[in-house]
Amino acid sequence: MSFPTAHDLIARLEAGETTARQAAEASLATIERQNPQLNALLAVTAEQALADADAADARRQAGKPLSRLDGVPIAVKDNMCTRGVPTTCASRILENFRPPYDATAVRKLREAGAVLLGKANLDEFAMGSSNEFSAFGPARNPWNPECVPGGSSGGSAVAVASGMVPWSLGSDTGGSIRQPASFCGVVGMKPTYGRVSRYGLVAFASSLDQIGPFAQTVEDAALLLETIAGHDPLDSTSSTVDVPKYSETVRNGSLKGLKIGRPVEFFDVQGVDPEVTAALNAALDKAASEGAEIIDVHMPIATEYAVSAYYIIAAAEASSNLARYDGAHYGFRAPDTADIVEMFSKSRAQGFGAEVKRRIMLGTFVLSAETFDAYYVRAQKARTLIQRDYREALEKVDVIAAPTAPTAAFPLGSKLEDPVQMYLADIFTLSLNLAGYCGLSLPVGRTSAGLPIGLQLFGGAFEETRLLQAAWQVEQVVK
Ligand code: GLN
């Protein structure tokens, strides 16, 4: 059910064996076949995609492709602004919003000639771990449609795993790229905070949000990351650190002597499915047999406090960011209201779903004068200590290995009634965003029920080159 990898497609485009038009048509045919069941894409931009593909073919024929990606199809999570194309954040409150501008990551894709096929489903405003909080119905896992695809970037993961597109973009605030990648059996990467511009990414928690790639292979993820990364004057938190050509060096690493940290506490967490642990240990054993050194490291704070610190900080930032949806500026406005206060409150009450409201209330509570010190300030202190856990571990090793999620994909509906169970499923991904470092998930095995299992690797700040090289090596030994 897979599309060729982006690299395979590029090779065939370069050799004149296929065209961007054919690639776009193949994408559209798969979308037509699969999307009614999987609900991965909320909007399909068929007409524009075919026109863009024809333009890419004309450029290539003239010997002037915009980049290696010219004419390669892609899908983008629906919380990134796309000019003239609906950008809903899977929320009723933005149901009819068509942004007048492109997010910087989207602009960079267009400048490289990538062909946008559609906007991918997500949990409303990227809040969730299962895609079930989408106002437009959940995306479903292609390996078992009765299971969730993970979230919040579920649609982006499904679009790649089901072969609708060779790759896609998601956003990761606390695991929203890595966890769905793990559940759907694809590669998903969260770059270092500041590596990719957040301009035009609808803000959830601004100190944690980061855009990143989904792909079938580590090499494809490297190429997509180098295309979207880099400094942007429109995002004051974007970094000026140079963007290396990750795709050109991704194969240059070696497992010989590579130090892989194994955080003891991550592997001791209660409730991890033994099949997950077995698959990860098998992958690490294979890496060790090729010369990698597996070294025990300790990250106790990152394990113990990640869930509580994250759900305080992320909710606090969300409550502030989501204040702008008031029915007055843009988006949904409740009809028949008596005065402006009623218009604000009814628009928000009717426009937001239950999980988003829960976060806004939680965030408003932890930021209120009486509770600020007890929750918000303490969570920020925990964040500093979590960062220290990462820094100290990464002084001893090149990369850190961890489970991406405690289990493989869970059945639809199984955690919906219990928010804490849903939050606990994020235990292994949240701390990386609090630390700000880079990480990815890559598929390393399957459960007996045939569901994918992901291994997470973490790297230091702006150490994407090393992280991708290590991941490529591991990918080869688990193939
Ligand atoms: N699952 C986490 C949450 O619900 C992370 C979401 C994300 O990374 N966008 O907040």
Side-chain angles (χ1 to χ4, degrees), residues 29-30 51 63 89 92 112 115 125 158 169 172 189 216 270 281 311 332 353 368 377 448 471:
T30 310
C89 295
R92 294 272 171 224
V115 175
F125 283 102
V158 174
L169 291 186
D172 191 310
M189 178 171 188
Q216 296 172 72
Q270 298 281 308
N281 285 336
Y311 277 98
F332 172 78
S368 61
V377 171
S448 48

Side-chain angles (χ1 to χ4, degrees), residues 126-129 152 172-176 204 310-311 359 426:
M127 297 174 193
S129 314
S152 63
D172 191 310
T173 304
S176 278
F204 162 12
Y310 170 87
Y311 277 98
R359 307 281 179 115
D426 297 339

